[in-house]
Amino acid sequence: MSLRPDAESSRLILRELLSQPTAPFHEHRVRAALIRVLERAGVSTRVDASGNLLARYRRGRAKPVAFTAHMDHPGLELLSVSGTEAEARWNGQVPTFDLRDARVALWSDSSAGLRGEARVLDGDGRRPPETVKRVRLEVPPGARAGDFGYADLTPFALEGGFIVSKCLDNVAGCAAIAAALQRMASLGLPGNVHALFTRAEEVGFHGALAAIAGRAFPKTVPAVVLECSKAMPGAEQGQGPVIRVGDKARVFDADLIAACEEAAREAKKADPELRVQRRLMDGGTCEASAFGLAGWRAMCLAFPLANYHNVGPAGLEPEKIMERDFLDGVALLCAFAAKGLDPAGARRRLAGWVKERFGAAEARRLKSSAGEPGA
């Protein structure tokens, strides 16, 4: 049985989530859309004190696993407004060009909703994360301090096999988790899944660190972090999601990675068309590092991404991932949950494989061919 969901049901989830406005500290509408999707699938949800969303799927006697992804994407927040101009702080990094004349969709967190289109007069997003990145804008009537905005780009589209959006990193990761839980519920698959959707990742993992401090799920539960990560050689679009073995900061848990690879191989037996890649993707740092440093077994499953953080060849452009990679990633999440990830077992099996390579016969051969000392 293939665990890959049908494209249409996944597209409905992607459209519902990617069409929502989002920026660091302003993820509320994405969170509300996730709650709607998950509750339609019969998955229970709750919001923690920091505004992270937690969901729980439990059926049968599968080993527990956690899936996590962040709900924000780089954007700005108005600090002050004077007439038709405003000063703003850019939250999250846009690494390669200044933002002058960029068009920004400006939103209120209140029921006022969309304020309209703003235009960047001066400023850029290239400074280091610890630096306050100031942006000056021309804003529409009604703009207020506290409003937020993001590059005014395509909310959601399908183009030539690609999913295209203003905010794939990492609302698409949230959509993958939701689609996997929906698929598992529809098939009645066993699973023991803790799902965590975090806030303010783009400014330093704030939501994830709050969840870690609050023990959102036990340290005995392995964590699979979903990401959209910059495509690179060996982590190429159309070749499947990437079992990401590390990021710019550190290498992830080797035994958990081995367990994920075992589960992927089993899934491929049932679905030979399933694709998956494996690579250290050092183009950025992801929440798997935060969980790993805090004592969890953690790794990342990443969708190879074009136009990372909306930086395209000609300026601001929507991000792109391949729909096939997304659907294969959903299938892998279902496999991880239904099979259960067993890092300790994977380690034992690999250790046994190594031990089989060296026994008495191999030891004798080494000694008999060692030659004279000093030769």
Side-chain angles (χ1 to χ4, degrees):
M1 176 182 62
S2 174
L3 299 176
R4 190 186 291 115
D6 70 275
E8 189 54 39
S9 64
S10 292
R11 289 170 183 174
L12 290 173
I13 293 173
L14 285 161
R15 184 183 299 278
E16 186 162 0
L17 297 185
L18 293 170
S19 298
Q20 304 301 324
T22 189
F25 308 108
H26 300 277
E27 307 89 350
H28 309 81
R29 289 179 175 86
V30 170
R31 186 179 64 201
L34 275 166
I35 291 170
R36 291 193 297 270
V37 169
L38 292 168
E39 292 190 345
R40 285 200 299 266
V43 177
S44 63
T45 64
R46 67 180 179 89
V47 178
D48 71 11
S50 299
N52 296 314
L53 176 64
L54 297 99
R56 195 80 163 87
Y57 175 93
R58 192 161 193 176
R59 186 186 183 101
R61 303 182 65 177
K63 292 180 182 294
V65 65
F67 298 148
T68 180
H70 65 88
M71 299 182 285
D72 61 318
H73 185 77
L76 58 80
E77 183 176 59
L78 299 192
L79 301 174
S80 63
V81 179
S82 178
T84 61
E85 289 194 9
E87 294 288 326
R89 175 179 55 239
W90 189 272
N91 291 321
Q93 201 163 11
V94 179
T96 61
F97 56 87
D98 72 44
L99 298 170
R100 282 175 294 180
D101 292 324
R103 303 291 170 171
V104 174
L106 192 66
W107 285 76
S108 167
D109 275 332
S110 73
S111 58
L114 179 65
R115 297 287 196 193
E117 185 180 83
R119 182 173 67 90
V120 177
L121 300 173
D122 184 54
D124 67 52
R126 292 175 290 186
R127 298 175 187 174
E130 64 274 9
T131 304
V132 175
K133 295 182 275 286
R134 298 279 179 163
V135 180
R136 188 167 59 91
L137 303 104
E138 181 181 61
V139 294
R144 300 284 185 271
D147 287 352
F148 71 99
Y150 50 84
D152 192 8
L153 300 166
T154 305
F156 170 76
L158 296 168
E159 298 177 359
F162 284 91
I163 301 165
V164 179
S165 176
K166 66 189 185 331
C167 61
L168 290 173
D169 174 23
N170 188 29
V171 180
C174 298
I177 296 172
L181 295 177
Q182 182 189 74
R183 180 66 169 159
M184 293 178 68
S186 68
L187 294 175
L189 293 178
N192 186 355
V193 180
H194 300 258
L196 170 65
F197 304 93
T198 62
R199 303 181 60 215
E201 186 269 356
E202 298 291 358
V203 291
F205 306 151
H206 292 180
L209 294 174
I212 286 168
R215 296 290 182 94
F217 50 89
K219 281 192 174 181
T220 53
V221 176
V224 177
V225 175
L226 272 290
E227 262 294 359
C228 291
S229 302
K230 188 176 181 179
M232 56 181 61
E236 298 167 3
Q237 294 191 301
Q239 299 304 308
V242 183
I243 291 177
R244 186 179 182 183
V245 303
D247 61 15
K248 184 170 68 174
R250 62 187 274 114
V251 175
F252 304 147
D253 188 272
D255 298 333
L256 178 56
I257 290 164
C260 289
E261 290 180 305
E262 287 185 349
R265 286 194 292 271
E266 287 297 313
K268 281 179 68 68
K269 291 178 183 178
D271 183 1
E273 297 300 314
L274 184 67
R275 294 187 180 187
V276 62
Q277 306 176 79
R278 182 185 194 272
R279 198 198 197 281
L280 191 151
M281 301 177 75
D282 56 357
T285 309
C286 90
E287 290 172 322
S289 281
F291 279 98
L293 289 167
W296 272 265
R297 288 187 180 272
M299 58 81 66
C300 177
L301 185 71
F303 298 118
L305 178 73
N307 300 338
Y308 169 71
H309 280 189
N310 304 121
V311 178
L316 283 173
E317 295 185 26
E319 295 180 320
K320 297 181 179 183
I321 61 173
M322 290 212 72
E323 184 176 30
R324 173 175 181 145
D325 293 342
F326 179 85
L327 296 175
D328 283 348
V330 173
L332 282 175
L333 292 180
C334 292
F336 293 167
K339 174 182 170 57
L341 297 176
D342 181 14
R347 181 185 181 88
R348 285 194 303 272
R349 287 183 283 277
L350 282 170
W353 176 83
V354 171
K355 189 175 181 179
E356 288 173 1
R357 297 305 186 267
F358 187 75
E362 290 75 22
R364 287 194 298 272
R365 177 68 187 276
L366 282 175
K367 290 177 181 178
S368 67
S369 61
E372 294 296 324

